[in-house]
Amino acid sequence: MTSTTHAPGVRIRDLTVVYRTPAGELPAVRGVDLELVPGTITGVVGESGSGKSTLALSLLNAVQPPGRIAAGAVEIDGLGDVLTLGGEDLRRTRGRQVGYVFQAAQNSLNPLKTIGKQLLDLGRSHDVADPRALVRDAKVLLARMGLDGGRVLDSYQHELSGGMRQRVGIMLALVLNAKVVVLDEPTTALDMITQATILRIIREVHEERELTTLVITHDVGAIAEVADGLAVMYGGRIVEHGPVRKVLATPRHPYTQGLIRAIPRLSGDISLARALPGRPPTLGTLPAQGCVFRERCERRLAVCDTDDPVVITRNGRSVACHAVERAAAVAMRKEYA
Amino acid sequence: MITGTGVTKTYRQRGSILGARQVPALRGVDFAVPRGGAVSFIGESGCGKTTLGRIIAGLETYDDGDIVIDGTSMSGLGHRARQPFFRRVQLIHQDPYSALNPTRTIHQTLSAPLALRARQTGRSRSWTDERAEELLSLVGIDPGYVLPRYPHQLSGGMRQRVVIARALTMDPDVLVADEAVSMIDVSLRLGILSLLKDLRVRLGVGVLFITHDIATARYIGDDSELYVIYRGQVVERGPTETIIAEPVHPYTQSLLSAIPVLHGLERPGEEQVVPTEALDEGRADEGCLFARRCPFVTERCEHEMPVLGRGGGEVQRHACFHPQPRSVIPVGAGQ
């Protein structure tokens, strides 16, 4: 198992996750295609209600009722479609093959047990034959992240700072040699300096252990620091996807453009920054047809009310927008004319 | 106008073997929030910035120093006598989800303080409804939509605007905004920040802005002042734009260096500063508080404590023996 040299690829295909509500089943994630290239960090950025956390949970096939994965597939190299797994197979996959790091602020650690005890619990539930080796691996990982392993394993979660807890979370996700790692809001609620440290650690550990990593966050800055690829989610759809530097430098989807313009920055003319008008949709306010962003869009066309824009991929960049497509078509006609 | 001089607060932790352990939260902080002015406090969690906000809002007492509101010293007054003064300072919390009573409509939420205000100023009861609508319009939301609704029916951005409207019912002189946008969606943050900026101009209300996100401090007004606070001590202060562009204290430089760079749009500053150690509040207090984490520490820093200049004349704006401007913030890629 530890001799794997290549990170696995992950392909999310046409994924739809619905939540049961009094108004019927509503899609939190709808028709999402996303490929995680082996050995890369993909960042998914989205605001509240964009469906990004639901997407992350789908990778573990862990969407809880009233949610339900209604359609699609999540293929992980060497595992097959995770969505078809159940029972024991699924339980083993979680932790062994797919590591999940929860938000530090949410108390994902047991307050009544030391970190070491929780580590041994993890080992036992995955039938680890040699607990000593597990503890050794954990200490190596913690030391790699700048912590005193022995001290941390003897500590309760309340004895650790937010940054330390976050590193413990990363250790627990990686200690069983998972090669696919999902980090949900890894830096939310951390201080600036701690955040910078955690982001550096994520990048370094990712490279050293040859992982395929998915980072879910609302913070474009955090993604910009660590990710190779950036997927922008809005209203349950991925509206734009491409190499992070290119998407930031020349965002194409009107939402991505508005989002980047709305980020408070340290340098530059502050009068150029402005908030996006309107507000993010919730499950209840998502339009049943047409583009999910049209209510806040300054490039809205008639077709946006009726037709869902399809994702068009060109030169490694994907966008789902009627206005962008129309402009591209016009430009292309001019070129051939 | 609110000024503080030498505001000091120490928490005592009981139950330690050696008796009460003293945790200094504020070590002699001087500040001034002018009428309609804007002052930002930035620092890591545990640096004392929230304690300061709570003291200014009258929710917490201070051990030493003084707070003067419109020329009246709070130190000389008893608890009851202070209250009308502290009512002029209203606090806006970080979390708009827990700041509003979920069992009350927005109309009820605003009516209670407005009824009190009506009694205080001798206005009729009918004034409260008018005023509620006026305030909601002022904070940029449609009163007709919001008034009959409960908090859970509103988005986070709307709730924070309601919280601001509620703070304004008391006609405050100063709004203390403690991490007021950190739980708001990114696309809406600037809306709340420019609302605070607007209120300064339109109502002459001062804003004390507490945040760990330094970039947001730029957006409450280009005349704003920035205070960088570390372990209860102000280590650098000055005009917000100046401090961000030319920070001289290594702690300020560390904070600014830690802000993510939007690669593709920006490139990192050339002289980024990374602290040599993580924050450890338990350590002894000899010398400069930042000495142990400072990459530029010298012998002198270990034994002597640098302090911000006080008094008249040219006021020293940093607490460092070796101030040195460094370019640490990201630069636009096009420049």
Side-chain angles (χ1 to χ4, degrees):
Chain A
M1 187 78 63
T2 50
S3 64
T4 329
T5 50
H6 290 292
V10 178
R11 286 162 304 279
I12 299 168
R13 284 195 215 283
D14 205 18
L15 182 75
T16 296
V17 183
V18 295
Y19 281 88
R20 204 172 50 242
T21 72
E25 284 196 324
L26 299 172
V29 170
R30 189 157 53 90
V32 161
D33 288 302
L34 180 67
E35 183 172 358
L36 310 186
V37 179
T40 64
I41 301 182
T42 303
V44 172
V45 72
E47 297 180 89
S48 57
S50 64
K52 59 186 191 299
S53 294
T54 302
L55 177 71
L57 287 171
S58 305
L59 248 72
L60 286 173
N61 193 1
V63 176
Q64 296 296 315
R68 178 175 72 84
I69 296 175
V74 177
E75 286 166 17
I76 300 180
D77 287 344
L79 271 177
D81 185 359
V82 181
L83 303 188
T84 61
L85 296 179
E88 257 319 85
D89 292 339
L90 183 60
R91 195 181 65 76
R92 276 169 202 286
T93 301
R94 299 174 181 163
R96 269 258 190 238
Q97 263 96 16
V98 184
Y100 202 103
V101 184
F102 296 91
Q103 215 174 305
Q106 295 170 345
N107 294 321
S108 55
L109 296 168
N110 187 334
L112 300 176
K113 289 183 172 182
T114 62
I115 306 301
K117 262 239 151 59
Q118 293 177 61
L119 173 69
L120 292 174
D121 285 351
L122 177 76
R124 216 168 6 253
S125 71
H126 284 276
D127 302 321
V128 170
D130 185 357
R132 278 170 208 279
L134 185 70
V135 170
R136 205 163 49 232
D137 288 352
K139 283 185 180 170
V140 168
L141 264 166
L142 290 169
R144 173 65 194 81
M145 296 188 276
L147 298 180
D148 174 351
R151 211 194 109 195
V152 168
L153 291 181
D154 282 339
S155 302
Y156 291 91
Q157 64 136 28
H158 69 266
E159 297 172 308
L160 305 174
S161 69
M164 289 163 98
R165 262 183 280 195
Q166 192 58 279
R167 280 177 267 195
V168 166
I170 295 173
M171 179 275 286
L172 289 171
L174 294 177
V175 73
L176 295 174
N177 276 310
K179 289 294 179 186
V180 177
V181 176
V182 182
L183 296 114
D184 190 2
E185 299 279 6
T187 57
T188 304
L190 296 182
D191 279 312
M192 299 312 279
I193 295 175
T194 315
Q195 163 171 321
T197 312
I198 295 290
L199 290 174
R200 184 175 47 74
I201 286 172
I202 291 171
R203 184 84 234 180
E204 289 171 1
V205 171
H206 165 85
E207 275 164 19
E208 287 163 20
R209 299 176 77 96
E210 300 187 61
L211 307 171
T212 299
T213 304
L214 181 66
V215 178
I216 307 283
T217 179
H218 68 280
D219 185 351
V220 180
I223 295 273
E225 279 286 333
V226 297
D228 305 295
L230 170 60
V232 182
M233 273 192 97
Y234 191 85
R237 306 274 290 167
I238 288 183
V239 296
E240 180 158 6
H241 183 203
V244 64
R245 286 171 190 241
K246 288 192 175 158
V247 174
L248 290 180
T250 54
R252 294 197 176 144
H253 195 282
Y255 173 62
T256 319
Q257 291 171 347
L259 185 66
I260 291 171
R261 202 185 304 133
I263 298 172
R265 305 257 299 271
L266 279 178
S267 58
D269 185 354
I270 58 169
S271 63
L272 296 179
R274 62 179 57 88
L276 258 171
R279 56 199 157 108
T282 61
L283 266 190
T285 60
L286 269 177
Q289 57 173 12
C291 175
V292 286
F293 183 64
R294 65 172 187 265
E295 293 294 335
R296 302 172 79 185
C297 186
E298 50 186 22
R299 296 174 69 185
R300 182 174 179 172
L301 305 168
V303 66
C304 304
D305 293 354
T306 51
D307 295 3
D308 222 346
V310 284
V311 180
I312 308 274
T313 305
R314 253 184 231 111
N315 303 326
R317 293 189 60 175
S318 311
V319 186
C321 174
H322 291 300
V324 169
E325 262 331 291
R326 197 158 289 185
V330 169
M332 210 132 53
R333 265 202 301 279
K334 273 191 190 141
E335 211 169 291
Y336 289 114
Chain B
M1 173 99 173
I2 296 189
T3 54
T5 39
V7 177
T8 302
K9 173 81 183 175
T10 307
Y11 288 106
R12 281 162 193 87
Q13 273 186 350
R14 275 177 295 176
S16 154
I17 307 165
L18 301 170
R21 194 167 82 94
Q22 310 242 322
V23 184
L26 293 172
R27 309 173 196 242
V29 172
D30 297 341
F31 66 89
V33 187
R35 186 173 162 71
V39 167
S40 307
F41 274 85
I42 61 163
E44 289 170 282
S45 56
C47 70
K49 56 191 196 302
T50 291
T51 303
L52 184 73
R54 290 177 57 82
I55 287 175
I56 294 167
L59 299 173
E60 193 101 57
T61 56
Y62 49 94
D63 303 332
D64 204 0
D66 197 7
I67 288 184
V68 177
I69 301 179
D70 285 338
T72 309
S73 159
M74 292 300 108
S75 295
L77 298 180
H79 178 69
R80 273 190 160 272
R82 286 178 184 182
Q83 284 208 337
F85 289 96
F86 281 126
R87 205 167 280 142
R88 290 166 158 172
V89 182
Q90 290 292 320
L91 188 62
I92 297 160
H93 292 275
Q94 171 177 10
D95 184 0
Y97 294 85
S98 63
L100 295 170
N101 186 334
T103 66
R104 291 184 171 201
T105 63
I106 305 308
H107 180 255
Q108 290 168 317
T109 294
L110 294 180
S111 293
L114 281 173
L116 174 70
R117 197 67 192 143
R119 272 202 306 281
Q120 284 172 347
T121 54
R123 289 189 175 89
S124 69
R125 283 305 295 259
S126 64
W127 170 81
T128 63
D129 283 352
E130 243 171 73
R131 181 68 177 155
E133 290 186 16
E134 197 181 357
L135 287 173
L136 289 172
S137 306
L138 188 68
V139 299
I141 41 183
D142 174 13
Y145 177 82
V146 170
L147 278 171
R149 287 190 157 67
Y150 288 92
H152 75 267
Q153 294 170 305
L154 306 177
S155 69
M158 273 191 173
R159 278 185 235 203
Q160 197 62 300
R161 286 174 193 263
V162 170
V163 171
I164 294 171
R166 183 179 59 181
L168 294 175
T169 58
M170 285 290 118
D171 301 314
D173 295 333
V174 173
L175 290 175
V176 176
D178 188 356
E179 300 283 9
V181 295
S182 65
M183 292 184 73
I184 307 292
D185 274 313
V186 180
S187 72
L188 307 176
R189 270 183 201 175
L190 284 178
I192 303 287
L193 293 170
S194 48
L195 169 61
L196 291 174
K197 190 163 120 183
D198 247 30
L199 294 175
R200 291 180 49 206
V201 179
R202 291 168 68 176
L203 305 179
V205 62
V207 172
L208 186 106
F209 189 65
I210 297 170
T211 183
H212 68 275
D213 184 357
I214 309 170
T216 54
R218 293 180 77 205
Y219 294 82
I220 53 164
D222 45 21
D223 56 342
S224 70
E225 249 210 320
L226 189 70
Y227 288 63
V228 183
I229 184 166
Y230 180 67
R231 294 179 64 198
Q233 186 198 13
V234 175
V235 296
E236 187 162 1
R237 60 177 277 191
T240 303
E241 291 292 327
T242 312
I243 302 267
I244 289 176
E246 297 157 27
V248 299
H249 195 288
Y251 178 64
T252 314
Q253 293 164 355
S254 307
L255 281 180
L256 289 165
S257 300
I259 291 169
V261 177
L262 294 175
H263 295 282
L265 278 180
E266 304 169 335
R267 51 191 162 74
E270 281 164 13
E271 300 170 277
Q272 293 205 335
V273 175
V274 179
T276 53
E277 276 185 36
L279 181 64
D280 179 7
E281 287 161 59
R283 74 169 209 96
D285 287 340
E286 210 200 337
C288 171
L289 295 173
F290 190 59
R292 212 167 74 176
R293 302 175 72 192
C294 183
F296 313 107
V297 65
T298 63
E299 176 91 31
R300 186 183 179 194
C301 312
E302 309 266 6
H303 306 293
E304 217 178 309
M305 187 170 175
V307 283
L308 231 81
R310 282 192 203 175
E314 182 81 353
V315 179
Q316 181 178 310
R317 68 174 180 92
H318 56 80
C320 179
F321 292 128
H322 314 289
Q324 164 89 50
R326 292 185 178 86
S327 55
V328 294
I329 61 164
V331 196
Q335 290 163 31

